[in-house]
Amino acid sequence: MAKLQNKTDIYDRVAWGIVGAIALLAIISFYAIWIAASNDSTLGTPFKAVVGQAVWYILSIAIVIVIMQFDADQLFKIAPYAYGLGIVLLILVLIFYDRSSFVNNGAKSWFKLGSLTFQPSEVMKPAFILMLARVVKDHNEYYGHTWRNDWILLGKIFGWLAPIAVLLKLQNDFGTMLVFFAIVGGVILVSGITWKIILPTFIVIAVLGTTTILLVTTNWGQAFLGHFFKAYQFERINSWLDPSGAYQLWQSMKAIGSGQIFGSGFGKSSVYVPVRSSDMVFSVLGESFGFVGGVVLIMIYLYLIIQMVMISFDTRNAFYSYISTGIIMMILFHVFENVGMSIDLLPLTGIPLPFVSQGGSALIGNMIGIGLILSMKFHNKDYIFSTAGDF
């Protein structure tokens, strides 16, 4: 019978590398929001803006602590319920969406209660990852990797994605839909599906994406795609191709460019950028700390990803591996897209920068993902039990 270590050894079961990375990102978030609010009266006072973000962080930390108490078996069991709840919320937001937000950006993706707003698709992301991990583990446990079985698994994966894709299309939230596609792509890569299926599938997707971008550059192409996309989505592509015509993007590039190598200095900001505290938060850091600051930020994200990968390898649990892959892809895509759109490498999509951008929905969604990763080490028997033989 295995003997549990004393309570002081709980310290060793916490992934402090991940906790430290999140703490650094939180500090960066508070700084960036303070600077953004200092130059944008619509955000209220800098103190109020930072306190608001701190409250969301405190709530998120509480959620992480709760999630850490669930082991793999419990997460496996609750996956369908989490997925079902997420679908219900995505349906409800189509009815009770924030009307003012819809007028501004054409999306029906936000609830509003008084001064509080919430985007249910953000918490749907980790719920979908849980469900996807369960589906892949179940399939691989009962079926071998034959050509036929791999196609069946691929069908299951896209089958669970389909309701989300339809609901996000009805919400006109194409940017969030791309995150779900990134999650699916990552899980497919580690699911064991043969490359004879994966490679042609990814080639087809790449060709379709490239063709779509090329069609956007022509009038007749936009007329054809108008059956599938909204006018504001074409405007984002056009601003990507010609940033001088997009005020927000142009100001973001000016701010980042003004930072040069080492930045304008701590607390200094002279370029106004709309929505700077959320979508364009990277421009604050680029202006204040320059290229060096941007590299440091990206290195923190890289360290966070490496820590998550290491925990995934340590668990030697397929279900956990699928979960961690989905979460890693979610965070990677957010970072890649947010930084890319801030410097005009990628089209504008409204994707926030993980753990840094202002807002509670995205922070809670990402912190749920972190909680799932932390639970992997917290319940890893190599850390819980005092004798390796009991593993």
Side-chain angles (χ1 to χ4, degrees), residues 289-300:
F289 305 111
F291 175 78
V292 172
V295 170
V296 169
L297 176 65
I298 292 172
M299 292 302 292
I300 294 174

Side-chain angles (χ1 to χ4, degrees), residues 71-150:
D71 60 21
D73 291 337
Q74 293 168 323
L75 291 174
F76 188 86
K77 291 175 182 177
I78 68 173
Y81 301 102
Y83 177 88
L85 177 60
I87 292 294
V88 169
L89 290 175
L90 291 181
I91 293 173
L92 288 176
V93 79
L94 289 170
I95 304 171
F96 304 105
Y97 61 89
D98 176 19
R99 266 55 181 178
S100 60
S101 177
F102 175 70
V103 171
N104 291 331
N105 56 34
K108 302 177 181 179
S109 53
W110 292 85
F111 286 116
K112 185 172 185 179
L113 182 62
S115 60
L116 293 177
T117 57
F118 190 78
Q119 189 174 12
S121 59
E122 292 294 344
V123 294
M124 182 69 215
K125 292 171 188 175
F128 174 65
I129 290 169
L130 271 180
M131 191 64 216
L132 207 58
R134 175 183 168 121
V135 169
V136 175
K137 181 185 180 296
D138 254 352
H139 180 92
N140 288 341
E141 188 172 334
Y142 295 106
Y143 301 95
H145 279 292
T146 65
W147 179 269
R148 178 177 178 275
N149 289 340
D150 282 355

Side-chain angles (χ1 to χ4, degrees), residues 25 282 292-304 335 339:
L25 292 172
F282 184 74
V292 172
V295 170
V296 169
L297 176 65
I298 292 172
M299 292 302 292
I300 294 174
Y301 281 117
L302 179 60
Y303 176 77
L304 175 64
V335 174
V339 174

Side-chain angles (χ1 to χ4, degrees), residues 73-341:
D73 291 337
Q74 293 168 323
L75 291 174
F76 188 86
K77 291 175 182 177
I78 68 173
Y81 301 102
Y83 177 88
L85 177 60
I87 292 294
V88 169
L89 290 175
L90 291 181
I91 293 173
L92 288 176
V93 79
L94 289 170
I95 304 171
F96 304 105
Y97 61 89
D98 176 19
R99 266 55 181 178
S100 60
S101 177
F102 175 70
V103 171
N104 291 331
N105 56 34
K108 302 177 181 179
S109 53
W110 292 85
F111 286 116
K112 185 172 185 179
L113 182 62
S115 60
L116 293 177
T117 57
F118 190 78
Q119 189 174 12
S121 59
E122 292 294 344
V123 294
M124 182 69 215
K125 292 171 188 175
F128 174 65
I129 290 169
L130 271 180
M131 191 64 216
L132 207 58
R134 175 183 168 121
V135 169
V136 175
K137 181 185 180 296
D138 254 352
H139 180 92
N140 288 341
E141 188 172 334
Y142 295 106
Y143 301 95
H145 279 292
T146 65
W147 179 269
R148 178 177 178 275
N149 289 340
D150 282 355
W151 274 112
I152 292 174
L153 175 56
L154 200 62
K156 290 179 180 178
I157 290 172
F158 282 102
W160 286 99
L161 174 65
I164 300 172
V166 170
L167 291 169
L168 290 178
K169 177 66 174 66
L170 293 175
Q171 293 176 22
N172 297 326
D173 195 352
F174 183 69
T176 300
M177 193 184 301
L178 292 176
V179 181
F180 282 93
F181 285 137
I183 291 169
V184 166
V187 173
I188 287 175
L189 287 176
V190 299
S191 65
I193 294 176
T194 176
W195 278 95
K196 294 178 181 178
I197 294 176
I198 292 178
L199 188 58
T201 301
F202 276 78
I203 289 174
V204 169
I205 293 172
V207 170
L208 288 175
T210 304
T211 303
T212 301
I213 293 174
L214 292 175
L215 286 174
V216 170
T217 62
T218 65
N219 292 331
W220 65 269
Q222 288 195 10
F224 170 74
L225 293 174
H227 298 289
F228 309 98
F229 299 99
K230 300 295 181 180
Y232 78 92
Q233 292 171 327
F234 289 124
E235 291 173 4
R236 289 179 173 180
I237 296 293
N238 291 333
S239 67
W240 173 46
L241 299 173
D242 181 17
S244 62
Y247 180 72
Q248 183 188 35
L249 175 58
W250 192 250
Q251 291 299 105
S252 172
M253 294 171 65
K254 283 175 61 178
I256 294 171
S258 69
Q260 300 185 47
I261 301 297
F262 298 104
S264 303
F266 185 86
K268 294 182 179 179
S269 178
S270 58
V271 181
Y272 172 73
V273 183
V275 201
R276 197 170 195 180
S277 62
S278 54
D279 295 353
M280 291 298 177
V281 72
F282 184 74
S283 67
V284 176
L285 306 172
E287 184 177 8
S288 293
F289 305 111
F291 175 78
V292 172
V295 170
V296 169
L297 176 65
I298 292 172
M299 292 302 292
I300 294 174
Y301 281 117
L302 179 60
Y303 176 77
L304 175 64
I305 296 299
I306 291 173
Q307 290 295 308
M308 290 194 287
V309 171
M310 290 173 61
I311 289 175
S312 178
F313 284 152
D314 285 345
T315 62
R316 299 185 293 278
N317 181 307
F319 179 60
Y320 274 153
S321 296
Y322 303 139
I323 292 175
S324 62
T325 299
I327 293 167
I328 289 169
M329 289 302 299
M330 176 180 74
I331 294 174
L332 271 178
F333 184 85
H334 275 240
V335 174
F336 182 71
E337 172 59 33
N338 183 275
V339 174
M341 74 180 188

